[in-house]
Amino acid sequence: MKMRSDQIVRGMVVVGLLLVTMIVTSEAGLLGKEETPGERFRKAIEKIRLSCESRKLAPGEVCGEVAKLKPVDPMATEEGRFAHSIKIPNPLPEDSGYEPGMTPEKYFDHLCKTEAGEFIYKTVENVEGIYMMRPRKEATDWELEHLYALEDPYGYTTGTSAEQAFGFIRPDGYRYVESPLFEVKVSSWKKRYRDSSLFDPPSAKAKYARYFGFDARNMKSMKMEYASSLRSRYGFTWRGISRPHDREMGIVGGELIILELASNDVVAVRRGFLKSGNVKNLTGIWWLKGQVCPGELGRAEHGGDNFVLKVVKPVSSKGEHYGSR
């Protein structure tokens, strides 16, 4: 018996729908199995570890240093504990807005639209100096390609370390910058271009380091002295953002917080995010490269120099050169 033409058409439609369903289901399955940056990172670390263990290392050979790193503990220092204790006027919502099945790109865009930005509650004029409450340490290359070894990769730049004071003491900047005592590690070749006072050992009564005198031309013009008390009325600190899905998606966030020191009142907050995970290295992570928001910031500004100077405005120097007094 011959099949009628309308039956043939209906049969073709049904088969077509079945094929479309199979294709969509297959694609969904493939997408669902796409590795997250976290999964790729863990596989890479295990591969590195096994590779180093499977062979005899040559004398003095270093192998798999990135695989030996542990997740950072933000509460390991007094400065870290204080930074994370600060209550800000615009706290992060308990629900980050992550939804199962979100891609890193979609989740990053969501965080940028709903949480990132500069939040200035007041500005201050005619400020002579600032207190760096939590100086950053210079990160190693291993830390920069590790998903969990740095607390706040977003706020880190190669300039936000022991020499961040150079970014604040300038013709349109502060007369001095203060910081708690911390070990200053400078390459031996750099020491030729730095004043010897930057490497003096602290006295028993010293609690703070005070930087001053930089003329924005000669690096040796920067001087340092130790002090037992602060002169600064305002300071800034930073903290990383830690939530369940961020790192798994190759996303990190950080907050820079400016405070009035006498009251610990929050003056301003800057919050930003960085997405890595698409780098062609062993781990897929390189925190000095990636998408950032707020997007108008250049990489060199993530340390917050310009934001701090915009909120806590320096006294006009009128071209004068200032020392420590």
Side-chain angles (χ1 to χ4, degrees):
M1 183 174 64
K2 293 183 179 181
M3 186 178 292
R4 288 166 42 185
S5 60
D6 58 338
Q7 289 177 314
I8 295 174
V9 171
R10 285 199 298 270
M12 292 175 64
V13 170
V14 170
V15 171
L17 289 173
L18 287 172
L19 287 172
V20 170
T21 302
M22 290 172 65
I23 293 171
V24 171
T25 303
S26 175
E27 289 184 350
L30 289 173
L31 289 173
K33 292 180 180 179
E34 184 177 347
E35 284 186 332
T36 66
E39 289 169 337
R40 178 184 171 184
F41 172 79
R42 288 187 290 275
K43 287 181 180 179
I45 289 296
E46 183 64 10
K47 185 177 180 180
I48 293 169
R49 186 185 66 80
L50 292 175
S51 176
C52 292
E53 291 180 353
S54 65
R55 61 186 180 84
K56 184 177 180 180
L57 302 182
E61 181 183 357
V62 176
C63 185
E65 292 302 294
V66 67
K68 299 174 186 177
L69 294 175
K70 304 296 182 184
V72 67
D73 179 7
M75 305 298 179
T77 65
E78 182 180 348
E79 291 84 5
R81 291 189 291 273
F82 174 76
H84 284 272
S85 73
I86 300 171
K87 306 297 183 184
I88 61 176
N90 59 321
L92 286 168
E94 292 185 9
D95 182 1
S96 68
Y98 173 82
E99 297 177 357
M102 266 188 169
T103 63
E105 291 75 17
K106 186 174 181 180
Y107 185 45
F108 178 74
D109 289 342
H110 168 75
L111 294 176
C112 292
K113 291 176 182 177
T114 61
E115 296 182 358
E118 295 183 351
F119 309 91
I120 300 172
Y121 305 106
K122 74 173 183 178
T123 58
V124 187
E125 306 282 346
N126 299 319
V127 177
E128 293 194 343
I130 197 78
Y131 179 39
M132 297 190 300
M133 306 173 73
R134 196 184 181 194
R136 294 180 187 267
K137 294 181 179 179
E138 195 78 33
T140 66
D141 284 352
W142 305 121
E143 291 172 326
L144 289 168
E145 62 178 345
H146 195 283
L147 187 57
Y148 302 101
L150 295 176
E151 180 186 339
D152 176 25
Y154 166 79
Y156 177 83
T157 73
T158 54
T160 55
S161 59
E163 299 191 330
Q164 189 174 9
F166 285 96
F168 286 111
I169 302 175
R170 60 197 198 195
D172 61 341
Y174 301 115
R175 300 181 182 184
Y176 62 85
V177 171
E178 297 175 312
S179 76
L181 300 184
F182 65 102
E183 184 180 3
V184 178
K185 293 184 178 180
V186 178
S187 303
S188 57
W189 68 268
K190 277 188 178 182
K191 290 186 178 182
R192 292 179 294 172
Y193 305 98
R194 303 291 188 271
D195 187 77
S196 61
S197 65
L198 272 64
F199 313 107
D200 289 341
S203 65
K205 295 182 179 180
K207 294 183 179 180
Y208 308 99
R210 182 178 299 124
Y211 300 86
F212 61 94
F214 183 46
D215 62 9
R217 296 186 299 274
N218 181 2
M219 302 297 278
K220 274 196 170 183
S221 64
M222 178 75 87
K223 305 291 191 296
M224 189 269 289
E225 64 184 9
Y226 291 107
S228 58
S229 61
L230 289 172
R231 290 184 190 164
S232 304
R233 294 174 51 218
Y234 296 90
F236 67 93
T237 187
W238 57 272
R239 62 190 184 191
I241 294 171
S242 177
R243 291 185 293 198
H245 304 287
D246 293 15
R247 299 265 175 163
E248 184 65 25
M249 293 289 165
I251 298 169
V252 291
E255 293 177 328
L256 187 147
I257 305 170
I258 304 175
L259 301 168
E260 185 175 5
L261 297 177
S263 62
N264 282 339
D265 288 344
V266 175
V267 175
V269 177
R270 189 204 64 189
R271 183 184 298 130
F273 296 92
L274 163 65
K275 183 177 79 67
S276 187
N278 297 318
V279 184
K280 293 182 179 179
N281 62 0
L282 290 177
T283 65
I285 299 295
W286 182 247
W287 291 125
L288 292 184
K289 181 181 180 181
Q291 290 180 262
V292 295
C293 65
E296 66 271 12
L297 291 177
R299 178 74 229 188
E301 295 183 27
H302 292 187
D305 298 8
N306 289 341
F307 178 64
V308 174
L309 288 162
K310 178 169 65 175
V311 175
V312 183
K313 301 179 181 182
V315 63
S316 176
S317 66
K318 299 180 181 179
E320 301 169 13
H321 175 71
Y322 293 95
S324 65
R325 299 290 184 264

